[in-house]
Amino acid sequence: MPPTSVTRQTADQRRETVLRAAIEEFAHGGLNGTSTQAIAARAGISQPYLFRLFPNKKALFIAVLQDAYRQVVERFEAAVGDATGDEALQAMAVSYTELIADRTFLLLALQGFAGCDDEDVQNATRRCFRDVWYAVERLSGADPDTVRMFYATGMLCNVVAAMQLDEVNERWAKLASPSSKSMTPTIDTKN
């Protein structure tokens, strides 16, 4: 029987594997309800090795949040392309609707907000929120009020998706559920 070769992952590859595993665990358990043992097991590594990659659970949680928000910015940039104004906002709205259709992503984003009772998590979440805000502003050219409405509608979309209101056949649920078109405020180009 010929010898089998095992390709060992680099530290960066292992780090990425841990991040992917942590996304799943943190999305369902949050910062306080997730064990590093569960993350290590999902990643196929030992818990001590996990702590060689990340100094503590909170640092891993913050890294996962930063990765998630980086994905939002990257997806917005890809969706917008050369579009500007209302067209750019519409492209971002569609992109975001697709992104939060991934329940794991959605729950992870909500866990970030839930973890804001920790000052470090709060500061990291603020920076992530800021980065997306600036991306929306830059990509659309929208004024602060329009960006605020875009964000507010996006947060409503998070709540609607988390409660899975698309499965509720009642008038209030249908009225509360914005479409990607209604998510896009119109930019006032008169000023």
Side-chain angles (χ1 to χ4, degrees), residues 134-145:
Y134 285 152
V136 171
E137 207 173 46
R138 172 177 51 84
L139 293 166
S140 68
D143 63 88
D145 286 338

Side-chain angles (χ1 to χ4, degrees), residues 58-167:
K58 182 171 34 174
L60 176 55
F61 184 72
I62 289 170
V64 165
L65 289 176
Q66 290 168 332
D67 185 61
Y69 278 89
R70 178 191 51 74
Q71 287 180 49
V72 173
V73 171
E74 287 176 359
R75 287 185 73 150
F76 281 4
E77 289 170 342
V80 167
D82 294 332
T84 58
D86 291 340
E87 189 179 333
L89 287 171
Q90 179 63 31
M92 287 184 280
V94 169
S95 175
Y96 191 70
T97 301
E98 293 167 356
L99 191 58
I100 63 172
D102 174 351
R103 192 140 181 92
T104 300
F105 177 87
L106 170 67
L107 295 176
L108 177 66
L110 296 174
Q111 292 288 4
F113 298 125
C116 281
D117 62 330
D118 179 283
E119 185 177 355
D120 296 328
V121 172
Q122 183 184 69
N123 287 332
T125 303
R126 284 177 179 168
R127 286 189 302 273
C128 292
F129 200 87
R130 173 206 63 201
D131 292 348
V132 174
W133 178 283
Y134 285 152
V136 171
E137 207 173 46
R138 172 177 51 84
L139 293 166
S140 68
D143 63 88
D145 286 338
T146 303
V147 174
R148 189 177 308 105
M149 284 303 301
F150 182 80
Y151 243 102
T153 307
M155 294 304 289
L156 175 60
C157 289
N158 288 345
V159 172
V160 165
M163 293 188 294
Q164 297 177 313
L165 287 188
D166 60 328
E167 297 175 5

Side-chain angles (χ1 to χ4, degrees), residues 15-52:
R15 191 174 197 281
E16 186 63 28
T17 299
V18 170
L19 283 173
R20 298 284 75 77
I23 287 169
E24 292 292 328
E25 296 296 329
F26 283 135
H28 298 284
L31 174 60
N32 297 322
T34 300
S35 77
T36 54
Q37 183 59 45
I39 295 169
R42 184 182 283 269
I45 62 171
S46 68
Q47 192 175 21
Y49 188 72
L50 183 139
F51 288 119
R52 282 198 276 167

